[in-house]
Amino acid sequence: MNTTIPRRQFLGTTGTTIGAGLPLSGWLGRLAAAAPEGRRPKACILLWMAGGPSHIDTFDPKPDAPADIRGEFSAIETSVSGIRISEHFPRFAQFMQHAAILRGMSTQESDHKLATYQLHTGYQNRAGAVSFPTLGALVSKELGKQDVALPNFITIGRGPQEALTSGFLGPDHQPLAVNDPIRGLDFVEPAGEPAQFRRQLDLLQGFDAAFHSRFQSPAAEAHHKAVERAVRLMNSQQKEAFDLSREPASMRDLYSPPPAVTAPAPGAGGKMGKMVSSGASAGSFGQGCLMARRLVEAGVPFVEVVMGDGVGWDTHRDNFPRVRALSLECDAAMAALVTDLKSRGLLDSTLVVWMGEFGRTPQCTGGGRNHWSKAWSTVLIGGGIRGGQVVGQTDRDGATVVDRPISVPDFLATICTILGIDYKQKNRPPGVDRPIPIVDTSKDVKVISEVI
């Protein structure tokens, strides 16, 4: 299907609404990447909490534990009777009927890089020459379309590069990285006049063609694909999906953090300092969530939004003031995203995943919590799941899973199943003499049937 909209038709369908900055729901829908008739294919927005948020201070509070474990925060009721979460997620608490909290996460890696890699790929980073693809690349391969301008996998914010690659799936499924959602794709516009750019591109393609006729290499092919994808996007009207200025100010404000949310900078010894923000600027995580909604609406099957550039949720020090600030910013963005998706009829077809690489220790010593992978929480929202429930349980102190432990393969197999992907399906990496399943099935995989 040719999804390019002629300039005259594009202007005729959008009229003056774009210039006025009014909602573009209908326009983005018309630009949806080769959207089929009938039921909309599912998409996934992954909200990555870099650093590993404390489960006790977010979605698994322990009000009956000793003071050095339960901490400073109170638990509040949600829209579902009996489910309580941190007081610093008051907006999201009102949408609990659409969410499932998975409190039984129990994983193997407690190192940032190793855990990040495992949670993104489903495999431990101990396999030598095999570079496993991240979840976004797998979704791109299974659900994406190759004949459209928009990439099938997009990351927003400064994410973990070692875990955000297409691995052995190759350059077709490599993500497009948007470091700052507020700037968007301002870097894709040609630096000079269009005619000059066209001449330069023709010259580059001529050199590339001559090189490819003599040499074949993965690096050259990756470069060729990257240039091809970039030019296709540059020449497409679909790139407007990255432009947040086309959203009304009221919508951008909806995704913004509460005013005057401050916390001490890491290691500031308790003195109040600058706001703990998620990325390039305060509130950029919320704007990243807004961009993710626009991209999913336009047909992108997988978007990852990163919160926690730098130290982020890695609260070895100043745990409570920093988690408070991060939670309130995250709460505003998550609630806005659920509200926005629901109002546009996209919540049932969009799975939102909230997770980090692990949880944090029950004991809070020296004002901070350390890494803890034995028991922690993730959250699933929308996507047609059975919301309004908790799966798994930890003990009084949040130290051990006492009911329904969930492994990384269990978790990722569940995400794949929700999205309509057969997690047992196998890929054949070049140079490897064995097929590799999407999710590691070397041990028994238990899909979280409670939410499906």
Side-chain angles (χ1 to χ4, degrees), residues 138-415:
L138 290 164
V139 173
S140 170
K141 177 179 181 293
E142 299 302 322
L143 302 183
K145 297 175 175 61
Q146 297 304 305
D147 59 346
V148 296
L150 282 175
N152 291 304
F153 175 22
I154 296 170
T155 63
I156 303 172
R158 298 183 183 278
Q161 296 306 307
E162 70 278 359
L164 292 178
T165 71
S166 58
F168 60 67
L169 292 182
D172 282 340
H173 305 289
Q174 190 71 9
L176 170 67
V178 180
N179 289 336
D180 183 358
I182 298 173
R183 288 185 57 190
L185 286 188
D186 59 357
F187 56 85
V188 304
E189 297 299 331
E193 294 296 324
Q196 179 186 16
F197 174 75
R198 185 70 250 175
R199 289 195 298 272
Q200 293 172 334
L201 181 62
D202 289 342
L203 181 62
L204 174 63
Q205 291 175 335
F207 284 138
D208 279 351
F211 183 87
H212 278 287
S213 66
R214 297 183 58 189
F215 306 100
Q216 297 292 328
S217 73
E221 181 63 18
H223 175 264
H224 174 73
K225 291 282 188 180
V227 172
E228 184 181 68
R229 290 165 58 203
V231 172
R232 184 167 56 181
L233 181 58
M234 290 171 69
N235 291 330
S236 169
Q237 298 292 356
Q238 290 180 318
K239 66 184 176 183
E240 303 295 348
F242 294 89
D243 186 359
L244 298 186
S245 69
R246 298 182 179 277
E247 291 286 336
S250 59
M251 182 60 71
R252 298 197 300 271
D253 290 343
L254 181 67
Y255 282 85
S256 298
V261 176
T262 58
K271 297 180 180 180
M272 295 306 291
K274 64 181 180 179
M275 177 176 177
V276 176
S277 67
S278 60
S281 60
S284 64
F285 173 69
Q287 300 307 299
C289 289
L290 174 56
M291 180 178 287
R293 185 273 290 165
R294 288 175 61 84
L295 291 168
V296 164
E297 191 174 17
V300 177
F302 193 96
V303 184
E304 178 162 346
V305 187
V306 179
M307 182 181 194
D309 180 25
V311 176
W313 294 85
D314 194 23
T315 53
H316 292 280
R317 306 173 73 174
D318 305 312
N319 178 80
F320 297 110
R322 288 175 54 207
V323 170
R324 173 184 176 273
L326 288 164
S327 296
L328 288 170
E329 182 176 358
C330 184
D331 176 57
M334 287 176 65
L337 181 60
V338 174
T339 301
D340 203 0
L341 289 171
K342 190 172 187 300
S343 69
R344 296 165 189 273
L346 296 173
L347 187 58
D348 284 344
S349 63
T350 305
L351 176 66
V352 180
V353 181
W354 182 96
M355 70 170 177
E357 54 264 47
F358 38 59
R360 307 201 78 78
T361 52
Q363 290 77 20
C364 188
T365 57
R369 298 189 192 269
N370 299 317
H371 304 178
W372 194 255
S373 63
K374 294 181 180 179
W376 54 289
S377 300
T378 57
V379 182
L380 303 179
I381 312 158
I385 68 167
R386 297 175 186 169
Q389 62 172 317
V390 170
V391 179
Q393 180 183 349
T394 56
D395 63 10
R396 184 201 65 168
D397 297 344
T400 305
V401 177
V402 296
D403 179 56
R404 187 60 172 95
I406 301 169
S407 68
V408 172
D410 295 343
F411 181 65
L412 294 184
T414 301
I415 291 175

